[in-house]
Amino acid sequence: MFNDFSRRSLLKAGAAGLAAGMMPRIARAQSSKVIRAVMHAPLRATDPLINTAWTGRNHGLNIYDTLFSTDTKFQIRPQMVEAYEASADKLTYTFKLRSGLKFHDGAPVTSADVIPSLQRWAKRDTMGSRMMSFVAELKPIDERTFQLVLKSPYGQVLQTLAKPSSIMPFIMPARLAAQAPDQPVTEFVGSGPFRFIASEFRPGNRAVYERNADYVSRDEPSDGLAGGKIVKIDRYEWISMPDFQTAANALINKEIDFLEAAPHDILPSLAAAKDVVVADYNPLGFMSVCRMNWQSEPFNRPEIRQAVMYASDQTDWLDAQVGNPEYYQTSAAMFGVTTPLASEVGWNTKPDIARAKDLLKKGGYKGEKVVMLQATDSPLLSGSSTVTAQKLRAIGMNVEVQTMDWGSLLARRVKQDSTANGGWSMTHWVTTTTELMNPLANTLLDTRGKAGGFFGWPEDTEVEGLRNTFALEPSADAQKTVAEAIQKRAYDVMTHIPGGQFRQPVSHSKALKDIVKAPAPLFWNVEKTA
Amino acid sequence: MAVAGVLLKRSVSVVPVLAVVALIAFLLLRFSSGDPVAQLAGDNADPAAIAAIRARLGLDQPLPVQFLHWLWRLLQGDLGTSIVSNQPVSTQIVQRVGPTLAVSLTTIIFSVLVGVPIGVLAAWRRGGWLDRFAMWTSVTGFAVPTFAIGYFWIYLLSMQLGLFPVQGYASLSEGIGRFLWHLTLPTLTLSLVYVALIARVTRTSLLEVLNEDFVRTARAKGLPERIVVFKHALRNAAVPIVSIIGIGVALLIGGVVVTESVFNLPGLGRLTVDSVLARDYPVIQGIIMVFGGAYVAINLLVDISYSFFDPRISAQ
C-alpha cells in the first residue's frame, strides 16, 4: 500500500485540495466549438490595407472575401465571382458576382462595393497599382456585373486579383472603401466566413471571430485560399503570447489548440507531447534574404556585391537560422523552390572563396567599412547576419555588425545616407515565398533605384524592362522564360542574395482535423473533435 | 487637519513632477532609435508609403509642435490615439489595467502577510535556525530571476501536477475561484523577491527597536513577549517597513512586465513592452503618465501613513 505513495503523489494530493476548491480542471475550459490559437504575432492594426504585415492579411482572410483566389497548384480560381470572360482582344474583362453574397451587416455585395474596394486597394498595393496603370475604366454593368476595361493588353489581371499575400484585394462595403487609402477603416464589415467581434478586440492581446452564419460558401472542397470556406466552429480566438515557451506549455496543457510558429528548437518537445501534432500546412514556406545597399560604399560596385555572394553559403545561413535540415532547402530560386517560376539559374548556393577574393580586388575594395544591421529578435532574423559577418571578415572585408531590435532595423533601413551618417550597407530578413513568387509582387526585384524603389535601392533598367515584359506576357510558358531572364539578370547585377527556403510547421492539438494547406493559417474547414 | 494639509501640499507638488515626467517621456521616445511609421507600414512598404503614413500621423511636424499638441490634449484629459491600433490610449489602458492591478495587489498582500511574520520571527529568534532559514530564503528570493521562478512553478504546479493553468487571466466577473486560480502562480512568482525584501527590512528594523530602552522597560514590567514584540516593538519599527512596502509597490511595475509575459497576463506591463517594440509613442507616453501618477500617489499614501504609525511625523 505504502509503495504506491511517491513524493509527487503526496505533493499532488496536498496541493490538489487547494486548487480543487478554486477551479475545475483546465481541460474543461476548452469547448469543442472554440479554437484558441496563438499566432506568430498579435493583431494590432485591423485594416488589412494599411500595411503589409501578415497579421493584417490573416485578419482580412477571416472577415473579407476576394474576387479570385489561388489554390495549392497555383491555379487562379473564382471566389466571389460566379463567371467571367475576357474579350477576344483581351481588353475587356467582364465579371459576374455569385448570387446571395452578403456583408456582415446584411447588405448585399454589389458591383458598387467591388469597384471602390479595388480602387482603394490598388492605391496601397504595388501589383494593384501596376495593373491600374493599364486600366482605362472599371464600371458597373448591373448589381452583380462589372467590367474592367484595359487601355492595352495586360497579362496579369487575374493573377493580380488573386494575389495570395499582402496586400490582398479584399472587398468591403462601398461606404468603407470610400475611406482614404492611408486612413484605416474603423468598422470591420466584410462578407467573409467569419465576423470580427470588435467589442472583444484587445490590440496586441486578443482578437475574436465568430462564424458568419450567412456566408455563402462555394460548393467545392477547400484548396489553398480557394474553394469552399465552410466554418465548422463557432468561434476562433487569436491570442497573443509573447513567450513561445509559455505557448508551447499551454498547448501541451490543452489550454490552447493551435500554435502557429513555435521556434524550430521547441518543435521536438512539442512533437513528443501526447496530444500534440506538429505538421506543415504551408509547403511554400519562407525565404530568407541578404540585401546590400546599392547606394552605399562599397556595395555601389557590382564586383563587391558579387564577392559577397561567392563568400556566402546558404547551408551555413540556414543552419544558423533554422538548424534542422528537415525544415530547410538550399536553392538559387528567387521566386520560390516549388513555384511555377522556380529556376536554379544564377548561383549554385555554395561559396567560392578564391573568386570572392578576386572580385574584391577587381572591385577595388580598400577596406571600406560595411555596416551590417542585425535584428536580434529571433534566430530567424539574427542567425544569418552573424554567419555573413564572419564570412566577409574571412575574405578581408571590414565589417561592423550593429545589433538592434526589428523595429529599430526597420527605421534604419529607410535611411539612404552614407554609413557615416546613420546609413547602412547590408542586412538580412525573412519573407514569405508567396510574396516573392511573382516578379511583379517581388519587391526585391524592384530596380527603380532611389526614386520609388525598395530598400537597398538597386537600379537596373534591364531588370525593370524585363518585369514590364513579364507583365504584358499572356502565356504561362513565355512568362516562365521571362522570369528566368529576370533571375539571371538579377544575379548578374546582384539585386539581393536569396538565403534559401525554410518551412515553419504548425503545432496543434490532435483534436483539430482537416486543417487547410495554404500560405496563411486558415480556420474554415477545420473541425475540432471533443 | 494636519493630514489634509499634508495632502494638499503634496498634491500641489505633484504637478511639476508630472510635468517633468511628461517632458522626459516625450523626449526619450523621440530620441530613441526606431520609427513607428516604418513598422506600421510593414516589411514590404516602400518609402513613399512610409512618408504618407508619417504625414497622416503628424510625425513629420517639428518636435516642439508635436509636444505642445500632445500636452494640450493631455491637459484636457485626452491621452491620444494609438498609432498602431487606432484606438484611444485611455481605452487600451483601461482594458489592460485589471490584470496588472490584480497581480500587484495579490502580490503585495501575500508578501506582507508572509514577509512581516518571517521578519518578526527572525528578529525574535535572532541567530537561531529560523533566523538563518529566513535569511537564506530571502537571499534566494533576491538572487533568482523572476522568470526562472515563474518557469519553476509552471513546471512543477502546472505541467507536472496539473493544478494551475500555465497562462492566462480570468477577471473577477468570471468568479472569485477562477480569478484566484489564474493568479496563484504569478503571485507566487512575483512575491518571492518582495517577501525577501520585506522580511529583511522587518528583521533589521525590529532588531534595532528591540534594543531600545522602552522595550527593556516593557520587558521589565513583566509584559508577555508577544505583547512586547507585536504591540510595542513592531509598531515602532513600522515606518521603515511601510516605506519598503511603498518602494516595493513601485518596483512591482518592473517585475510585472516579466511576470505578465511569462504567464501571459494581458496587463499594462505587456502593453508597455508591445508599445515600445512597436514604437507606439502615444501609448507609451500614456502609460508612463499613468505609472508616474501611480508612483506619486503611492508615495503620498506612504507619507501619510507615517503619521499613523508615528504621530511625531505629522506634527512636522
Side-chain angles (χ1 to χ4, degrees):
Chain A
M1 175 80 182
F2 285 104
N3 292 342
D4 293 334
F5 275 88
S6 65
R7 192 174 299 168
R8 179 181 295 176
S9 66
L10 277 171
L11 250 176
K12 200 169 183 170
L18 175 70
M22 291 191 204
M23 201 51 218
R25 298 287 297 180
I26 297 153
R28 289 182 210 159
Q30 295 291 295
S31 155
S32 63
K33 287 290 186 182
V34 178
I35 290 181
R36 306 186 80 217
V38 172
M39 312 308 279
H40 74 277
L43 181 68
R44 293 190 180 96
T46 37
D47 186 337
L49 267 56
I50 280 297
N51 67 32
T52 59
W54 305 331
T55 49
R57 173 203 63 188
N58 298 351
H59 164 72
L61 281 165
N62 289 328
I63 63 173
Y64 302 107
D65 220 342
T66 49
L67 297 174
F68 289 86
S69 294
T70 308
D71 69 16
T72 49
K73 295 174 196 71
F74 309 102
Q75 298 302 306
I76 309 298
R77 287 168 49 179
Q79 186 53 254
M80 296 173 81
V81 165
E82 180 181 279
Y84 68 98
E85 64 176 21
S87 60
D89 59 5
K90 302 284 183 199
L91 286 176
T92 304
Y93 286 77
T94 305
F95 304 96
K96 184 171 188 183
L97 297 171
R98 285 192 285 137
S99 65
L101 298 181
K102 274 197 281 188
F103 287 114
H104 299 156
D105 59 5
V109 179
T110 67
S111 306
D113 300 302
V114 172
I115 290 170
S117 293
L118 291 179
Q119 285 166 335
R120 181 170 185 257
W121 158 76
K123 287 179 183 140
R124 301 288 311 162
D125 182 68
T126 48
M127 232 173 136
S129 63
R130 189 184 280 264
M131 181 185 79
M132 283 300 187
S133 69
F134 287 84
V135 172
E137 195 181 10
L138 202 50
K139 61 179 179 186
I141 303 298
D142 61 36
E143 285 265 295
R144 286 172 50 205
T145 313
F146 64 97
Q147 275 185 342
L148 183 147
V149 183
L150 297 168
K151 291 180 263 189
S152 58
Y154 183 67
Q156 295 284 312
V157 171
L158 297 185
Q159 285 86 343
T160 305
L161 295 176
K163 196 169 181 263
S165 197
S166 305
I167 295 173
M168 292 177 69
F170 295 120
I171 303 304
M172 301 178 178
R175 65 192 158 83
L176 299 180
Q179 177 80 293
D182 60 346
Q183 293 281 345
V185 292
T186 51
E187 195 187 340
F188 308 99
V189 176
S191 62
F194 287 94
R195 293 170 190 269
F196 182 62
I197 310 302
S199 60
E200 294 193 47
F201 177 49
R202 302 285 180 272
N205 177 38
R206 190 178 61 162
V208 176
Y209 305 86
E210 287 180 357
R211 186 170 68 91
N212 173 17
D214 294 334
Y215 182 71
V216 183
S217 172
R218 294 191 75 87
D219 188 18
E220 51 197 66
S222 298
D223 184 359
L225 298 175
K229 298 181 179 179
I230 298 171
V231 178
K232 298 173 181 173
I233 52 173
D234 291 338
R235 184 177 161 100
Y236 147 52
E237 296 178 6
W238 172 343
I239 305 163
S240 152
M241 281 194 205
D243 185 288
F244 276 110
Q245 187 59 58
T246 301
N249 289 337
L251 180 62
I252 293 168
N253 226 25
K254 298 183 182 174
E255 292 171 38
I256 59 168
D257 307 288
F258 186 94
L259 174 54
E260 187 192 7
H264 290 88
D265 56 342
I266 293 183
L267 291 177
S269 63
L270 283 167
K274 193 172 140 230
D275 294 313
V276 175
V277 176
V278 174
D280 188 16
Y281 298 102
N282 178 7
L284 282 177
F286 302 82
M287 294 182 78
S288 81
V289 170
C290 172
R291 182 75 153 188
M292 287 165 275
N293 184 353
W294 281 41
Q295 307 301 326
S296 164
E297 294 269 355
F299 296 131
N300 54 351
R301 278 116 70 194
E303 296 87 354
I304 312 290
R305 296 195 296 269
Q306 291 276 353
V308 173
M309 183 181 80
Y310 285 110
S312 302
D313 184 338
Q314 272 194 354
T315 307
D316 288 348
W317 277 338
L318 290 162
D319 275 342
Q321 289 178 292
V322 178
N324 186 344
E326 188 189 333
Y327 298 125
Y328 71 66
Q329 189 172 351
T330 58
S331 171
M334 286 185 170
F335 305 113
V337 182
T338 52
T339 62
L341 302 180
S343 165
E344 291 297 320
V345 69
W347 185 34
N348 70 357
T349 77
K350 293 288 170 202
D352 182 342
I353 301 300
R355 194 162 174 190
K357 286 181 174 171
D358 186 46
L359 282 161
L360 275 189
K361 244 186 235 166
K362 279 187 187 155
Y365 181 67
K366 293 184 181 67
E368 297 96 323
K369 188 163 76 178
V370 170
V371 173
M372 177 183 288
L373 306 184
Q374 181 187 33
T376 51
D377 305 46
S378 80
L380 287 177
L381 290 169
S382 66
S384 40
S385 304
T386 310
V387 170
T388 304
Q390 183 56 32
K391 301 272 184 197
L392 297 191
R393 284 175 187 138
I395 61 168
M397 295 189 80
N398 171 18
V399 184
E400 179 182 300
V401 179
Q402 296 186 3
T403 56
M404 58 196 73
D405 70 333
W406 180 238
S408 300
L409 192 147
L410 287 177
R412 280 287 295 280
R413 196 174 71 165
V414 182
K415 288 184 185 294
Q416 295 188 338
D417 305 319
S418 67
T419 53
N421 292 313
W424 55 281
S425 313
M426 67 188 309
T427 187
H428 286 260
W429 71 80
V430 165
T431 189
T432 59
T433 305
T434 41
E435 273 156 19
L436 304 180
M437 59 192 255
N438 184 306
L440 303 183
N442 188 327
T443 45
L444 297 164
L445 295 169
D446 185 331
T447 45
R448 289 177 291 168
K450 282 173 96 164
F454 196 65
F455 308 102
W457 306 283
E459 200 166 354
D460 187 65
T461 50
E462 192 174 329
V463 170
E464 222 33 42
L466 285 164
R467 291 175 84 210
N468 284 331
T469 307
F470 180 90
L472 303 176
E473 200 54 75
S475 98
D477 287 344
Q479 284 175 2
K480 186 162 170 58
T481 306
V482 179
E484 196 158 287
I486 293 172
Q487 181 166 318
K488 185 175 179 311
R489 177 66 184 169
Y491 269 112
D492 287 345
V493 295
M494 204 69 267
T495 52
H496 64 285
I497 312 175
Q501 191 164 313
F502 65 90
R503 293 177 294 116
Q504 173 62 66
V506 159
S507 315
H508 64 83
S509 154
K510 279 186 179 163
L512 299 191
K513 310 282 181 203
D514 300 330
I515 295 176
V516 181
K517 284 195 173 185
L522 306 175
F523 289 92
W524 55 78
N525 204 54
V526 185
E527 216 162 332
K528 185 178 174 187
T529 55
Chain B
M1 189 61 196
V3 172
V6 170
L7 201 62
L8 186 68
K9 199 174 152 190
R10 296 300 298 269
S11 299
V12 172
S13 69
V14 158
V15 176
V17 173
L18 288 178
V20 171
V21 169
L23 183 66
I24 291 175
F26 183 87
L27 291 178
L28 208 63
L29 292 169
R30 284 353 190 247
F31 291 122
S32 65
S33 65
D35 179 4
V37 180
Q39 274 184 269
L40 183 63
D43 298 0
N44 293 323
D46 58 36
I50 290 175
I53 295 174
R54 196 182 306 285
R56 170 170 68 82
L57 297 173
L59 295 172
D60 57 344
Q61 299 286 315
L63 276 188
V65 175
Q66 288 183 45
F67 178 68
L68 289 175
H69 183 64
W70 175 64
L71 197 62
W72 176 242
R73 292 175 70 171
L74 188 66
L75 290 171
Q76 296 169 313
D78 179 1
L79 293 174
T81 304
S82 162
I83 287 174
V84 180
S85 69
N86 210 32
Q87 275 196 353
V89 173
S90 51
T91 304
Q92 288 203 27
I93 289 176
V94 168
Q95 284 173 349
R96 298 294 198 95
V97 78
T100 303
L101 216 53
V103 76
S104 301
L105 278 175
T106 52
T107 298
I108 284 298
I109 291 169
F110 182 82
S111 303
V112 171
L113 289 180
V114 176
V116 172
I118 287 177
V120 170
L121 287 173
W124 193 20
R125 294 283 180 255
R126 185 186 180 188
W129 68 267
L130 188 64
D131 184 21
R132 286 200 296 274
F133 176 73
M135 290 310 101
W136 178 85
T137 309
S138 76
V139 168
T140 309
F142 282 123
V144 183
T146 308
F147 73 89
I149 298 166
Y151 285 132
F152 170 75
W153 289 131
I154 288 172
Y155 176 76
L156 181 69
L157 299 179
S158 294
M159 306 303 288
Q160 293 301 310
L161 300 175
L163 298 173
F164 297 99
V166 168
Q167 53 78 44
Y169 173 73
S171 65
L172 262 175
S173 62
E174 295 176 60
I176 183 80
R178 196 171 163 76
F179 171 76
L180 290 175
W181 186 57
H182 275 272
L183 282 176
T184 303
L185 296 193
T187 302
L188 287 178
T189 301
L190 203 49
S191 295
L192 195 58
V193 69
Y194 296 104
V195 168
L197 184 70
I198 292 169
R200 285 186 80 90
V201 170
T202 304
R203 177 183 178 272
T204 310
S205 179
L206 201 58
L207 279 176
E208 213 169 285
V209 173
L210 284 172
N211 289 325
E212 297 274 346
D213 290 344
F214 74 90
V215 172
R216 260 197 300 278
T217 309
R219 280 177 176 149
K221 273 167 59 183
L223 285 177
E225 190 66 8
R226 184 171 45 85
I227 301 290
V228 172
V229 172
F230 286 98
K231 193 173 172 192
H232 295 277
L234 189 57
R235 183 161 182 182
N236 279 281
V239 169
I241 299 171
V242 170
S243 298
I244 210 67
I245 292 171
I247 292 168
V249 172
L251 288 174
L252 255 177
I253 289 165
V256 156
V257 171
V258 177
T259 309
E260 285 182 2
S261 294
V262 171
F263 292 101
N264 192 37
L265 303 177
L268 284 180
R270 269 190 50 206
L271 182 62
T272 309
V273 175
D274 287 349
S275 307
V276 169
L277 290 175
R279 307 295 191 274
D280 196 342
Y281 293 159
V283 178
I284 306 169
Q285 287 163 191
I287 293 171
I288 291 174
M289 292 310 296
V290 167
F291 280 153
Y295 275 129
V296 170
I298 289 162
N299 276 322
L300 192 59
L301 285 175
V302 169
D303 283 0
I304 292 167
S305 73
Y306 290 162
S307 63
F308 171 76
F309 293 108
D310 188 347
R312 288 169 300 179
I313 294 174
S314 62
Q316 289 164 9

